[in-house]
């Protein structure tokens, strides 16, 4: 993802001290900016680039007779992606553009495009965001982080174990909530530990070891959050988009459920996590690191900070109980052919989003045990809901429908016919690398939205199971490890001042290579068994 996805970091309030009308005087008037500079400053050129690109495509591109809707869809796609990439308007606003562009350009009806913005998958994301806000509100993430970190800290400090504790905690939390809020929640915990370390009074050798370890901690939180999100459907938007597009393009096939994706995603994530830990230890820890840290950081400090939180309150226990119950429901909804899971009781009408919203609703019913009548959550606590992410997912699903309804997928399929006969095991890692390159410059959700329709058609064209290409496209979009622009989590880590772009490239490149290699091995073996890729589509 890119920084646009982190809308909840920005203040929603305006500067009340600013005058309602601009103040003018002679000096200000004489030194006013040129119209061109003003246009650049206000992003008017970026705003105009979207409709201009759409107009040029509709006027100049000829896809053949009877393909007017497909041509218009191509124009709409250019408009939306230019606004996404240039940040011409806020991400949420750009994501709502298909709601008026599709009907105006004749791609689909207003009702059809609106339905894409709220389905079971979107419900899953919405409910998980509410649960994440409850966890953040009651500081459950901080308590968990301090407990695990103090357990792994060692006495004296063992840097490798301490890194394992910090990264492992982040990895686990990111499995259950979106990786962006996970990074936002965990980074203060990590930097709080680093603030105990000396800033300038240590010897030159110790200061160098402290700087290196600080880089490892920040990079560990950033990458562990991204890797943990890969393990489950709720961890990142790319997985959700994959599930939605699979259901859209192949509705007759078995859907990708929470448990089926976790059966593949968790082993993949564990391989990457092991590579992350090994990379951090090899690159940033030495024999002298433990000695340099021991004078300033030990288990006693962490336990003292944990004691300041006090014992777990009733509200914290209830939030954990609701969250634990939701995980059980996710994992047992659909099991095997012999053991169908509890969803059979409702004749298959209940989805993962159904139970997520149901359990999130309980947070607004169960009392907090603090003030009389106060519940665990109220809507005021939900003001930081990431509606920009939710609307972005809706736009992705609308675009997937538009590809199919307009006939653009058929045209793309014909154009990819030259790839027929290419080895699937070669194309799969290439698809992952292709997606992984794009995601360094734009959001992983936008990357997934762009490449998955192409890969779905490519799979049908060359006669392989579409998931053999769609899964690498979704996974590759999450390997945004090299640049700060790759994801909001990267921006959070970069903004701490502990790491540089060079640190990200040097550390992220081995992880990217391991990710592609692990996918190449796991997808045709484990993935084939989990997703039934040996069956005809």
């Amino acid at each position: 993802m890119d920084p646009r996805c982190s809308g909840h970091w920005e203040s929603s309030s305006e500067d009340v001290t600013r005058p309602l009308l601009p103040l003018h005087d002679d000096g200000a008037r004489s030194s006013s900016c040129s119209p061109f500079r003003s246009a650049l400053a206000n992003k008017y050129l970026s705003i105009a680039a979207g409709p201009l690109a759409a107009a040029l495509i509709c006027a100049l591109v000829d896809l053949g007779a009877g393909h007017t809707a497909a041509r218009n869809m191509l124009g709409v796609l250019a408009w939306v992606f230019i606004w996404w990439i240039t940040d011409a308007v806020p991400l949420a606003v750009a994501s709502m553009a298909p709601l008026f562009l599709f009907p105006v350009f004749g791609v689909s009806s207003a009702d059809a495009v609106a339905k894409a913005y709220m389905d079971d998958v979107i419900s899953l994301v919405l409910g998980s965001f509410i649960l994440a806000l409850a966890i953040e509100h009651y500081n459950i993430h901080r308590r968990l982080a301090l407990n695990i970190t103090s357990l792994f800290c060692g006495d004296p400090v063992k840097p490798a174990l301490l890194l394992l504790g910090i990264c492992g905690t982040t990895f686990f939390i990111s499995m259950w909530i979106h990786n962006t809020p996970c990074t936002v929640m965990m980074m203060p915990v990590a930097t709080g530990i680093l603030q105990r370390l000396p800033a300038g009074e240590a010897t030159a050798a110790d200061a160098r070891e402290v700087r290196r370890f600080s880089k490892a901690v920040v990079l560990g939180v950033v990458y562990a959050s991204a890797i943990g999100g890969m393990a489950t459907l709720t961890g990142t938007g790319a997985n959700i988009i994959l599930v939605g597009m699979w259901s859209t393009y192949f509705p007759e096939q078995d859907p990708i459920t929470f448990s089926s994706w976790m059966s593949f995603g968790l082993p993949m994530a564990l391989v990457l996590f092991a590579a992350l830990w090994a990379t951090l230890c090899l690159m940033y820890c030495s024999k002298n690191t433990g000695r340099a840290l021991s004078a300033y950081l030990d288990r006693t400090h962490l336990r003292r900070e944990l004691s300041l939180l006090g014992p777990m309150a009733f509200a914290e226990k209830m939030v954990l109980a609701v969250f634990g119950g939701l995980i059980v429901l996710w994992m047992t909804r659909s099991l095997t052919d012999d053991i169908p899971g509890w969803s059979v009781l409702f004749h298959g009408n209940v989805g993962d989003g159904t139970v997520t919203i149901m359990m999130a609703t309980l947070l607004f019913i169960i009392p907090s045990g603090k003030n009389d009548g106060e519940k665990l959550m109220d809507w005021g606590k939900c003001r930081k809901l990431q509606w920009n992410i939710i609307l972005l997912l809706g736009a992705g699903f609308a675009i997937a429908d538009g590809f199919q309804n307009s006939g653009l997928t058929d045209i793309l399929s014909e154009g990819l016919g030259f790839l027929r006969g290419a080895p699937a095991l070669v194309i799969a890692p290439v698809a992952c690398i292709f997606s992984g390159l794009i995601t360094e410059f734009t959001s992983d959700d936008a990357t997934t939205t762009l490449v998955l329709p192409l890969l779905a058609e490519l799979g049908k064209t060359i006669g392989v199971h579409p998931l053999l290409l769609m899964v690498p496209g979704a996974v590759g979009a999450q390997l945004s490890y090299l640049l700060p622009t790759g994801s909001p989590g990267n921006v959070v880590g970069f903004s701490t001042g502990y790491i540089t772009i060079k640190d990200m490239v040097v550390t992220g490149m081995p992880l990217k290579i391991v990710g592609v290699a692990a996918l190449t091995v796991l997808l045709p073996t484990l993935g084939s068994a989990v997703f039934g890729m040996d069956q005809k589509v």
Side-chain angles (χ1 to χ4, degrees), residues 384-395:
K384 292 197 296 181
L385 267 175
Q386 291 181 288
W387 291 108
N388 52 348
I389 301 295
I390 294 171
L391 289 170
L392 175 63
L393 294 173

Side-chain angles (χ1 to χ4, degrees), residues 198-203 207:
E201 65 272 14
T203 64

Side-chain angles (χ1 to χ4, degrees), residues 86-241:
T86 62
D87 200 16
V89 296
L91 177 67
V93 177
S95 299
M96 289 190 293
L99 287 169
F100 69 87
L101 291 177
F102 278 28
V104 169
F105 280 78
V107 175
S108 62
S109 67
D111 284 339
V113 67
K115 289 177 181 177
Y117 282 78
M118 181 53 71
D119 60 7
D120 186 65
V121 176
I122 302 292
S123 300
L124 171 66
V125 176
L126 178 60
S128 66
F129 279 178
I130 294 174
L131 282 161
L133 289 175
I135 290 172
E136 180 182 8
H137 178 75
Y138 291 104
N139 272 324
I140 295 173
H141 66 293
R142 183 172 180 81
R143 185 184 297 276
L144 177 63
L146 288 172
N147 271 298
I148 294 181
T149 304
S150 64
L151 176 66
F152 283 89
C153 182
D155 199 4
V157 175
K158 296 180 177 62
L161 283 179
L162 182 55
L163 277 176
L164 181 62
I166 295 171
C167 296
T169 304
T170 308
F171 176 91
F172 179 77
I173 293 176
S174 184
M175 286 175 59
W176 311 109
I177 64 176
H178 198 278
N179 49 24
T180 298
C182 174
T183 310
V184 173
M185 289 191 298
M186 286 300 298
M187 194 57 72
V189 177
T191 54
I193 295 172
L194 298 180
Q195 287 168 4
R196 302 181 183 279
L197 304 178
E201 65 272 14
T203 64
D206 284 356
R208 184 171 60 254
E209 294 296 335
V210 167
R211 283 196 303 271
R212 293 178 64 201
F213 184 76
S214 299
K215 292 176 184 290
V217 169
V218 173
L219 289 169
V221 170
V222 170
Y223 293 145
S225 178
I227 294 169
M230 192 182 295
T232 64
L233 292 185
T234 54
T236 179
N239 292 346
I240 295 291
I241 292 172

Side-chain angles (χ1 to χ4, degrees), residues 10 76 82-83 147 154 186 190 193 208 470 527:
E10 302 172 1
V76 169
I82 287 174
W83 276 9
N147 271 298
M186 286 300 298
I193 295 172
R208 184 171 60 254
M470 295 177 71

Side-chain angles (χ1 to χ4, degrees), residues 339-476:
I339 309 175
W342 58 262
S343 64
V344 70
L345 300 175
F346 301 93
H347 309 290
N349 293 325
V350 176
D352 289 326
T354 309
V355 294
T356 307
I357 294 296
M358 180 186 73
M359 299 302 280
T361 303
L362 291 180
L363 298 175
F364 298 86
I365 298 174
I366 300 173
S368 67
K370 293 183 177 180
N371 301 321
D372 186 33
E374 181 182 347
K375 305 300 189 293
L376 292 175
M377 289 290 284
D378 57 59
W379 197 247
K381 296 186 180 80
C382 295
R383 285 178 295 180
K384 292 197 296 181
L385 267 175
Q386 291 181 288
W387 291 108
N388 52 348
I389 301 295
I390 294 171
L391 289 170
L392 175 63
L393 294 173
F397 297 156
I399 288 172
D401 288 339
F403 262 89
Q404 196 169 32
N405 296 335
S406 67
L408 186 57
T409 52
D410 298 330
I411 297 173
L412 293 173
S413 176
E414 295 171 4
L416 295 171
F418 70 93
L419 290 172
R420 185 179 301 276
L425 292 181
V426 173
I427 295 178
V430 169
C432 184
I433 294 171
F434 172 69
S435 181
L437 289 175
I438 296 176
T439 195
E440 297 294 348
F441 304 99
T442 185
S443 79
D444 25 338
D445 291 349
T447 300
T448 309
T449 302
L450 174 65
V451 303
L452 286 194
L454 303 177
L455 296 175
E457 291 305 317
L458 175 59
K460 290 192 287 188
T461 299
I462 65 177
V464 302
H465 197 286
L467 283 180
L468 196 59
L469 297 177
M470 295 177 71
V471 171
V475 171

